[in-house]
Amino acid sequence: MGFARGVLAFLLLAVGTPAAGTTRSVVGVRTPAKHAASSMPTIAILCYHDISDAPGTPLQTVSPAFLRAQIRVCRAAGWTFVPLRRVIQLAAHPERLPAKTMVLTFDDGFRSFRDRALPVLRAERVPATLAVISAYVDQPPPDMPPLLGWDDLRALDADSLVEVVSHSHDIHRFVTSDPYKDTAPSPVTRRYLLAEGRYENREEYRARLRADLTLAQRTLTARLGHAVPVLVWPYGEHNDMARGVAGLAGFTTTVGLGERAATREDLRAGYLPRIMVTRHMKFGTEREWLRIPPPPMRAVQIDLDDLYDARPAVFSARVDRLVRRVSELGATHAFIEACSDPAGDGRFTAAWFTNHQVFTRADVWGMVAAKLAQARLHVWARIPTMNLTWVRQRHPEWRIVESRTAAPARGPRPGADAFVASAVAAWPTRLSPDLPDVRRAAIDFVTDLAVYTPIEGVLFDDDAFMAPGERLAVSRSMDPQARADTIEALLAACRGAVRAWRPDCEFGRSVPAPVVEADGVHAGLSQDFGRIARDDGLVVVMAYAWAAGHGADASAWVGRLGRRAVTRWNAARGAAQTTLPPAAPVLELQTYDGSGDRWIPAARLGSMVAALRRAGVANVGLCPVTADDGEFSARMFERAAPAPMASGDAAP
């Protein structure tokens, strides 16, 4: 097999490691007394769409009764309804807003806003923002509910209760995103030009956005008689370049999605997230719609080296079988390898997506991701950050410096040296993370990933470590803490580069089991589980029982490891005083035993999943999962624990 099995084979050496402004006034809205300068209100901006009682409508279509009930329940809970323009006016002084500020927005410009929503808003004395797609006003798509005309929009814009803003001119659509004719939201997608066999370049992408947003501003200004300062991103999708283009078009504030309250940083940046409303939502408590605990994560790791076939029909059939399998397992997330390691020796010779750094073996990552997303999985890319083989081949002088006079790691445990040796062998082309050139290379690579693939998350692989005999190239330091700090700086730079193009992207990091078992910084790997738990959104613990020499007592061992991981995670998040719901670690189970070239029986895997449940582990993963090989039982993940309750929340 490829990378996933190759790493497991190398880790088989690790045996015996023990657990150790002024605006139009709005009826019914009061300006509160000032809060303390440091007080930040909770600002919840809700996103509505069509308002209808008709059966068979999309989930985001709600009835007038639903809208009325939501307003009344939230008002009774202490929320004050404020116009969006007021929030923007007080962006520099949010403490002047009500402690619980709520804004209602309605997307697309449906006629139902005037006919069904507005009577409710008037009766309840609640302001609203209406976002319209200007190209659709004159040429409505045939598959959309009836839309408002320009006379309607001018009348609504003159109403003190309503503010009309832009929802773009004509980029509210999906465009071709890869050679397989998959599609993705236009605002953030480099179109794949099928006739030319290439992707839209940076300037073509920028020009397309600029033309659309300039026309959107010009059209609304001409039709409404005034400039429009707010742009609501189609599908909530945006990036740094798109926001910059919007600013040049005259939009001083942009609005997207995010399923969270707006922060002080959002207000400063001129970007506001919203919460999508569906008819299944309940507004009885904030925990039901604003501070929802994350659902359990059921993750599968997919190695494209094992899945790919150069014959399109064969490959497509394999992908279909894989999608069926992971769906039957009940998986919620897929971690897909972004790089190709066909020999399973830790040397990445190609990538599975178009980029400017390394050979693209086949541009298939986006296609596989699209099929998994259609099956309702969240798709992450698993990528290296230090083991950049193609860079080391060109610049061997950028490698990690090995010291022949290194002192032994402080407090070695039995088996620890063997584990570190296996980790070094598994990642033979790592680069020194403190070199500016290495950082630029990593940033360039992850930037291409963010630009060309529809990622929801990035999982940094376990190559981000340094062994006891390895020095940083610049400082020559071998101190575990100094090296851990330098590695974290590299990963932070990579996160920033991805967020420039995918601002809502989530992040995680894979760590070997010994990092969980160690207290503080693991001296042999320069990784600190507590710090990783604080800095990354997710930690994926490689609970590979057979690779760690615990095949005989696999369930007991993963149970102990799971309890240790949860305890350390809770301590780390508590020390950081985070108000975010705990994502908790993922315990990723080994499904293939390299020593005997055999797949772990489904019964053994199910037993380990059950052991993790008893240990209080909410999130479970399987590595690897293929289209045809392996022994997996349907709904295997059902033995795993439910999601934990968010800290500070009471049960409803």
Side-chain angles (χ1 to χ4, degrees), residues 410-423:
R410 187 183 313 160
R413 299 187 306 275
D417 291 342
F419 176 82
V420 172
S422 68

Side-chain angles (χ1 to χ4, degrees), residues 32-57:
K34 285 187 179 181
H35 301 298
S38 61
S39 176
M40 177 65 192
T42 301
I43 304 173
I45 307 175
L46 304 187
C47 170
Y48 280 92
H49 286 82
D50 194 18
I51 306 298
S52 173
D53 288 307
T57 55

Side-chain angles (χ1 to χ4, degrees), residues 532-544:
I532 294 170
R534 293 191 300 269
D535 292 347
D536 290 274
L538 185 71
V539 181
V540 177
V541 179
M542 300 161 63
Y544 299 166

